[in-house]
Amino acid sequence: MKDAQGYPLTTSSQDAALLYGVAQQNLLEYRLATMQSIKDTIQADPHFAMAHCLRGYQFMMYGSFSVLNNAKSALRAAAAEAAGATERERMHIEALRAWTEGRTGKAITVWEQLLSAYPLDIVALRMHHFNCFWTGRQHSLRGGAASVLDRWPQEMPGYGNVLGMLAFGYEECGQYREAEKFGRLAVQHNPNDLWALHAVAHVLEMEDRQQEGIDWLTRPENHWSDRNPFKGHLWWHLALFHLESGHYEQVLDLYDRSVRNDGSTFYLDIQNAASLLARLELLGIDVGSRWAQLADFAEQSIGDHGLIFTDLHYMMALAKEHRFEAAERLLASMEDFAAQDSGDSAAVVRAIGLPLCRGILRFEQGDYAGAVDEFAPLHNNDAPIGASHAQRDIIDQYLIEATRRASNLPRTRMLLAERVALRPRNKAAVERHMDVTRQIYRTA
């Protein structure tokens, strides 16, 4: 049996091979049915190593320690079938093992080795891309897809997904023309590829093309109803375009209808909701009681350091609600994790996660100078915490506002001047820069 890209699969069941293809495509398209389709594949052939590996990958992509044991169980099931598996499948098992052990860098290396030998392995490319994103490896984010594109026939299933990953890699490396070109081409090849749609949205965000962004993402409310929580991130992007256009009521409406985590424990829902509320409040917009639900979940989740970037958003919710004792417990838990865990992320928690979380807490406690002391050394140096430039921009917004409230106007002006130089079409940044400059001259 072979997969959709022509690579051998160690299964004698035609049903399992066909179901694996469905599961693979569901994974690439963020379908709600992904895990069920993986379970169906395993049911068709319980000895199918690659199906167990895909199950482990899916659990790891949840970004939470709460499902780590499930991922390890899938690893054990895959490893039990390794002797009869192909070399490619055994390499996938090795990558999954490294990932579950917190050795993300090792897993990325294995996926790169896989791609050098099997350039059409779309699962290896997707896992490589996902993990480069969450470890801040922008050039590898671009490089993975760029290194295999010339081997992909345009008619092969998954070609559009490769284009979408390349587009996003270009965007995170600041190559916006290339990103938009490949992103739009990817959507033409596969309109169901939310990642490609997302890549173009990022270009429009970084170039402050708000109305184009609104036009690109506006859909009926139930348009992505069959997709997993990643759809909420697209609504988040639409909300950002409205936010930057001054449409605050529309932002709050989008939050309540489509962005709010609504009890979800998925990391991206937490990040989307907290980040959007924080951006609104930094602009002086009253968000009412919306923080309380997020703070409740954050308090219950102390100790889950599956993604460091999520910890930042837990801290936002706790600090905004003035749950300072819980916020200190979060910091203590992060310190314990950084000291005791041997995985790759522990060093990032220690060097970046803890200072940023302390900065957010000090900001909400009114210690603006202290917040600046925590944020400033990491300005333009926070990529290893993962996520995109657009997502990490909330950290710069905290820093700018902290310098302003600390009455450090020269530093505020410097930060805003940088922002205007990089995003000259950002009207809000231009206006704030002019206002701060006038204040400096008045007091000189």
Side-chain angles (χ1 to χ4, degrees), residues 216-272:
W216 180 249
L217 289 180
T218 297
R219 300 285 195 284
E221 187 176 344
N222 63 350
H223 187 72
W224 295 304
S225 59
D226 62 339
R227 306 307 179 93
N228 75 19
F230 184 71
K231 65 188 176 187
H233 189 62
L234 294 178
W235 294 124
W236 178 82
H237 273 284
L238 178 59
L240 278 195
F241 289 128
H242 282 295
L243 180 73
E244 291 155 2
S245 302
H247 308 154
Y248 303 130
E249 288 302 319
Q250 286 174 270
V251 175
L252 289 169
D253 182 57
L254 269 168
Y255 179 91
D256 291 336
R257 286 191 293 109
S258 304
V259 175
R260 181 182 59 190
N261 76 310
D262 197 25
S264 168
T265 60
F266 191 65
Y267 70 88
L268 201 51
D269 285 328
I270 307 302
Q271 294 172 8
N272 293 334

Side-chain angles (χ1 to χ4, degrees), residues 161-188:
N161 300 101
V162 178
L163 293 180
M165 286 184 265
L166 178 59
F168 190 77
Y170 272 133
E171 184 278 326
E172 286 299 288
C173 289
Q175 295 176 262
Y176 301 133
R177 296 281 67 74
E178 293 89 346
E180 185 168 2
K181 169 189 169 184
F182 282 102
R184 291 185 183 276
L185 188 59
V187 173
Q188 289 175 21

Side-chain angles (χ1 to χ4, degrees), residues 84-372:
T86 66
E87 178 189 35
R88 182 178 72 93
E89 291 167 330
R90 287 195 295 271
M91 292 176 75
H92 272 290
I93 295 169
E94 181 186 356
L96 177 59
R97 185 182 308 280
W99 193 4
T100 60
E101 292 174 352
R103 297 181 294 127
T104 313
K106 170 64 176 176
I108 288 171
T109 298
V110 175
W111 287 314
E112 288 175 349
Q113 292 168 344
L114 260 164
L115 290 170
S116 67
Y118 309 97
L120 305 181
D121 191 327
I122 191 69
V123 173
L125 181 60
R126 185 68 189 98
M127 295 303 111
H128 177 270
H129 194 76
F130 179 90
N131 280 277
C132 287
F133 177 82
W134 285 114
T135 54
R137 304 179 188 213
Q138 290 104 331
H139 290 93
S140 295
L141 195 67
R142 176 187 61 189
S147 68
V148 300
L149 182 63
D150 66 334
R151 302 292 299 275
W152 275 79
Q154 292 189 24
E155 66 276 8
M156 180 168 285
Y159 177 75
N161 300 101
V162 178
L163 293 180
M165 286 184 265
L166 178 59
F168 190 77
Y170 272 133
E171 184 278 326
E172 286 299 288
C173 289
Q175 295 176 262
Y176 301 133
R177 296 281 67 74
E178 293 89 346
E180 185 168 2
K181 169 189 169 184
F182 282 102
R184 291 185 183 276
L185 188 59
V187 173
Q188 289 175 21
H189 272 272
N190 181 9
N192 290 315
D193 184 1
L194 298 193
W195 192 252
L197 196 72
H198 168 252
V200 175
H202 267 266
V203 173
L204 302 177
E205 167 66 26
M206 299 307 291
E207 293 192 333
D208 294 297
R209 294 157 62 186
Q210 281 84 15
Q211 188 55 53
E212 289 180 71
I214 291 169
D215 295 340
W216 180 249
L217 289 180
T218 297
R219 300 285 195 284
E221 187 176 344
N222 63 350
H223 187 72
W224 295 304
S225 59
D226 62 339
R227 306 307 179 93
N228 75 19
F230 184 71
K231 65 188 176 187
H233 189 62
L234 294 178
W235 294 124
W236 178 82
H237 273 284
L238 178 59
L240 278 195
F241 289 128
H242 282 295
L243 180 73
E244 291 155 2
S245 302
H247 308 154
Y248 303 130
E249 288 302 319
Q250 286 174 270
V251 175
L252 289 169
D253 182 57
L254 269 168
Y255 179 91
D256 291 336
R257 286 191 293 109
S258 304
V259 175
R260 181 182 59 190
N261 76 310
D262 197 25
S264 168
T265 60
F266 191 65
Y267 70 88
L268 201 51
D269 285 328
I270 307 302
Q271 294 172 8
N272 293 334
S275 174
L276 190 57
L277 293 183
R279 289 166 195 251
L280 283 163
E281 289 207 332
L282 287 170
L283 289 171
I285 308 303
D286 182 7
V287 301
S289 61
R290 292 177 175 87
W291 279 110
Q293 182 192 48
L294 288 173
D296 288 344
F297 181 73
E299 196 162 354
Q300 296 165 16
S301 303
I302 292 172
D304 186 350
H305 307 296
L307 282 176
I308 310 163
F309 197 64
T310 309
D311 279 329
L312 264 66
H313 295 78
Y314 290 156
M315 179 58 78
M316 288 178 202
L318 294 174
K320 286 286 186 183
E321 283 287 284
H322 288 193
R323 300 187 191 182
F324 297 141
E325 185 274 333
E328 293 290 351
R329 282 193 283 116
L330 173 58
L331 290 174
S333 177
M334 293 173 69
E335 288 168 354
D336 288 345
F337 174 74
Q340 298 175 19
D341 193 272
S342 59
D344 295 353
S345 65
V348 181
V349 169
R350 185 164 49 250
I352 303 178
L354 276 163
L356 292 180
C357 282
R358 284 194 295 262
I360 292 168
L361 178 56
R362 290 188 175 188
F363 182 93
E364 296 302 335
Q365 290 175 327
D367 180 8
Y368 303 118
V372 172

Side-chain angles (χ1 to χ4, degrees), residues 10-140:
T10 308
T11 179
S12 58
S13 167
Q14 185 174 4
D15 286 345
L18 290 172
L19 287 165
Y20 178 81
V22 172
Q24 180 178 280
Q25 195 60 32
N26 283 344
L27 175 73
L28 293 169
E29 294 179 356
Y30 301 90
R31 300 285 180 179
L32 282 171
T34 301
M35 186 57 84
Q36 184 58 52
S37 60
I38 295 172
K39 290 179 180 178
D40 292 343
T41 306
I42 294 170
Q43 185 174 7
D45 181 358
H47 302 289
F48 189 176
M50 194 60 210
H52 288 293
C53 202
L54 194 65
R55 181 170 180 264
Y57 282 158
Q58 178 73 353
F59 277 122
M60 291 302 295
M61 293 177 83
Y62 289 168
S64 172
F65 287 169
S66 65
V67 294
L68 183 57
N69 285 336
N70 301 76
K72 290 181 176 180
S73 174
L75 170 63
R76 288 191 296 271
E81 308 298 335
T86 66
E87 178 189 35
R88 182 178 72 93
E89 291 167 330
R90 287 195 295 271
M91 292 176 75
H92 272 290
I93 295 169
E94 181 186 356
L96 177 59
R97 185 182 308 280
W99 193 4
T100 60
E101 292 174 352
R103 297 181 294 127
T104 313
K106 170 64 176 176
I108 288 171
T109 298
V110 175
W111 287 314
E112 288 175 349
Q113 292 168 344
L114 260 164
L115 290 170
S116 67
Y118 309 97
L120 305 181
D121 191 327
I122 191 69
V123 173
L125 181 60
R126 185 68 189 98
M127 295 303 111
H128 177 270
H129 194 76
F130 179 90
N131 280 277
C132 287
F133 177 82
W134 285 114
T135 54
R137 304 179 188 213
Q138 290 104 331
H139 290 93
S140 295

